[in-house]
Amino acid sequence: MDYIFDGIREAFVLLFSGNEEVYSAVYATLKASSLAILIALLIGFPLGFFLGYSDFPGKRFIRSVADTLLALPTVLVGLWVYAFISSRGPLGNLNLLFTIKGVIVGEVVLALPIIIALSAQAVEELDLSVRDTLLTLGATGKRLVLDMLWEARYGILMAAVTAYGRIISEVGSASMLGGNIKWRTRTITTAMAFETNKGQFAMGIALGLILLLIAFLVNGTLAFAKRRRQSR
Amino acid sequence: MLYRLTGIKRYYNERCALSIDHLVIEEGKIYGLVGPNGSGKTTLLRILAFLDEPDAGNIYYNGSLVSPQLVPSLRREVTMLLQNTRLLTRRVKDNVAFGLKMRHMDLNTIKHRVKEALEMVGLPVKDFANRQWYELSGGEAQRVALAARLALRPKVLLLDEPTANVDTVSETLINEAVVRAKEEWKTTIIMVSHDLLWLYNSADETISLWGGRVASHGPENVILGPWEKVGDGLYCKKLKDGQKIYVSGIPSSSNAVTVSPGDISLLSNAINDDGGSSCNLLRGLVTQMVYSNDGLLRVSIALGELNLVSLVDKDYIKSLDIYPGMEVYASFKPSAAQWL
């Protein structure tokens, strides 16, 4: 048991002494996940809104595909993206493999189904009553759409936070696409896996504590969004 | 006239939910829409609010045929409080001001209208204006939703069960605000309410719907079958307490008849009881007595599972000395019943 307690003590030392290796992994994680969630929102939210707001042939099929992809295994995403961005793949000339950009591509693919499915659900839940309420008060055209988006904001926040929680904690695709390169593509989760394999518990625990802190923030935001959404 | 509807039909999954040959709504009146669940009340309100288009027929508003191009501008004059209305997820004052902002009103007018509307529904501005939508009780939320419509000083206000799930204080305040809107701004009010007592008291006219059709203007008694043929073109319905109702005519697919309240007379004793074939004589209890706008008294009588309303002269009631809880006899001719 001593090695665990020693590991925890050393972890705090690493955290509070500003250990560069720890903070390099934290930086890489936050950079990749923040950019990935931003891109996923830019692509996924309009698609989700369209899916939730419009009625078209094949809508239910697309919804069920999006819902199925919510449970997409991260290693499978890693494998597929790897196939595309490796030197032999169709996007090989972009040199994305083993770069932070490659990690971002994988995380975008992971986040997209979540953003699309949950945004569509948020808009669908609003659709009838909120749309009618806005219409009866005189909203039309662009203003109607913008106000519907505003009314769906907590649902959209939930979608973004859920997706962020998924990509920040995943290890499979980040490891396959980033290669766990120290100072460059090593993220919190890949570093934890690597350091634990080496027997370096202190580093793993230190990074784990940061991940836990981020998870608390994510869950806190999620709980807030849920409360607000339910109080509609 | 404000609205004229001709040949209106609305279908849900091939089921005809509304079929109105002709209906006229006059300006500045309160209309009560009555009818059982599924009779098409909400469907009619949504069509009048220009939220839904009918599948067939024409709507004339202020004499002009309503076309899809006209609808956005008409929605500025007509507003509706939905049955499952919800507040926008913002502060009370932002909810009330929303429609005014859509109409590009200046800030001073918005401020004045918000205050006026909130006070009309009994919500003091200083206590409620800055509250968030989730800091309100159900009744308060409903009053805020009504205030958001009243602030628009609409030409037409459509209300779908506005007092269905609210406390009695909110119910009174909502009813008062509706009448005030009519008196102050000549707003035409068309309202569905479970509170028939209030509706019959306050409405200038009532429209009865049955199976998606206008059964009548004015309150009607609807009696649903099964009917048993008893000869001589007469049909009989047995009530649970053993009493029988006889009607004449040719049955329709709806299996229901209406009897105008004016055709039902009241007796304190069972005189002229000839067995019911030439005149129904039904024993029941007086449950309500309400003065109607036309100076008549509306008397509700409970006959087992059936309720009938009779419209009688108040002097006649005085001579009978009828009061709620008293046993009376309701009488009407079989030919007074109209098949729906």
Side-chain angles (χ1 to χ4, degrees), chain B residues 29-80:
Chain B
K29 285 186 173 180
I30 298 183
Y31 286 84
L33 270 185
V34 294
N37 286 344
S39 60
K41 303 185 295 289
T42 300
T43 306
L44 176 58
L45 281 187
R46 290 181 65 86
I47 285 174
L48 294 173
F50 308 112
L51 284 177
D52 290 341
E53 265 185 74
D55 295 308
N58 291 320
I59 306 171
Y60 295 87
Y61 180 83
N62 261 340
S64 305
L65 178 66
V66 175
S67 61
Q69 292 76 28
L70 275 179
V71 165
S73 64
L74 296 182
R75 283 208 198 109
R76 302 269 157 126
E77 295 186 5
V78 179
T79 187
M80 178 174 171

Side-chain angles (χ1 to χ4, degrees), chain A residues 119-132:
Chain A
S119 302
Q121 191 187 331
V123 174
E124 266 174 358
E125 281 177 8
L126 281 181
D127 193 22
L128 287 175
S129 55
V130 173
R131 187 171 174 274
D132 284 349

Side-chain angles (χ1 to χ4, degrees), chain A residues 116-164:
Chain A
I116 292 171
L118 297 188
S119 302
Q121 191 187 331
V123 174
E124 266 174 358
E125 281 177 8
L126 281 181
D127 193 22
L128 287 175
S129 55
V130 173
R131 187 171 174 274
D132 284 349
T133 298
L134 293 168
L135 284 173
T136 58
L137 291 171
T140 50
K142 198 166 68 178
R143 192 63 211 255
L144 176 68
V145 174
L146 287 175
D147 276 294
M148 279 195 67
L149 286 182
W150 183 248
E151 290 304 308
R153 65 194 181 279
Y154 294 112
I156 294 161
L157 178 63
M158 268 180 74
V161 173
T162 307
Y164 193 75

Side-chain angles (χ1 to χ4, degrees), chain B residues 177-190:
Chain B
V178 168
V179 174
R180 223 179 118 189
K182 180 219 166 186
E183 285 169 356
E184 289 195 11
W185 310 316
K186 304 280 175 276
T187 299
T188 305
I189 314 261
I190 306 170

Side-chain angles (χ1 to χ4, degrees), chain A:
Chain A
M1 284 296 281
D2 283 350
Y3 74 96
I4 294 175
F5 294 116
D6 288 344
I8 293 170
R9 188 174 48 77
E10 280 176 48
F12 278 101
V13 173
L14 286 172
L15 281 176
F16 291 107
S17 66
N19 182 280
E20 282 185 20
E21 211 177 321
V22 170
Y23 286 98
S24 160
V26 172
Y27 174 73
T29 303
L30 293 177
K31 184 182 171 185
S33 57
S34 303
L35 281 169
I37 202 72
L38 203 66
I39 296 164
L41 272 172
L42 285 173
I43 302 168
F45 176 64
L47 291 174
F49 183 82
F50 179 73
L51 198 57
Y53 190 75
S54 319
D55 220 358
F56 56 90
K59 175 180 167 163
R60 286 177 68 176
F61 174 73
I62 296 175
R63 270 307 303 265
S64 62
V65 169
D67 288 345
T68 308
L69 293 179
L70 288 175
L72 202 59
T74 59
V75 283
L76 190 65
V77 170
L79 179 74
W80 273 100
V81 177
Y82 190 102
F84 272 80
I85 66 174
S86 68
S87 56
R88 287 180 297 168
L91 302 175
N93 57 342
L94 295 175
N95 295 320
L96 294 173
L97 194 61
F98 303 138
T99 66
I100 206 77
K101 286 178 187 167
V103 177
I104 291 171
V105 172
E107 290 183 346
V108 168
V109 174
L110 267 175
L112 262 178
I114 299 172
I115 304 273
I116 292 171
L118 297 188
S119 302
Q121 191 187 331
V123 174
E124 266 174 358
E125 281 177 8
L126 281 181
D127 193 22
L128 287 175
S129 55
V130 173
R131 187 171 174 274
D132 284 349
T133 298
L134 293 168
L135 284 173
T136 58
L137 291 171
T140 50
K142 198 166 68 178
R143 192 63 211 255
L144 176 68
V145 174
L146 287 175
D147 276 294
M148 279 195 67
L149 286 182
W150 183 248
E151 290 304 308
R153 65 194 181 279
Y154 294 112
I156 294 161
L157 178 63
M158 268 180 74
V161 173
T162 307
Y164 193 75
R166 175 142 160 94
I167 60 176
I168 205 158
S169 59
E170 76 83 25
V171 63
S173 116
S175 159
M176 290 166 81
L177 302 171
N180 193 30
I181 302 167
K182 198 173 179 180
W183 310 116
R184 287 174 59 198
T185 62
R186 183 168 291 178
T187 63
I188 295 177
T189 50
T190 59
M192 279 173 73
F194 182 69
E195 296 297 336
T196 307
N197 280 343
K198 283 197 315 186
Q200 297 292 323
F201 291 106
M203 178 71 89
I205 291 169
L207 289 165
L209 286 171
I210 291 174
L211 198 60
L212 206 60
L213 182 70
I214 296 171
F216 272 127
L217 288 173
V218 167
N219 273 321
T221 315
L222 202 59
F224 166 79
K226 263 186 189 167
R227 272 202 309 276
R228 283 287 177 272
R229 199 173 173 210
Q230 281 162 0
S231 63
R232 265 204 324 255

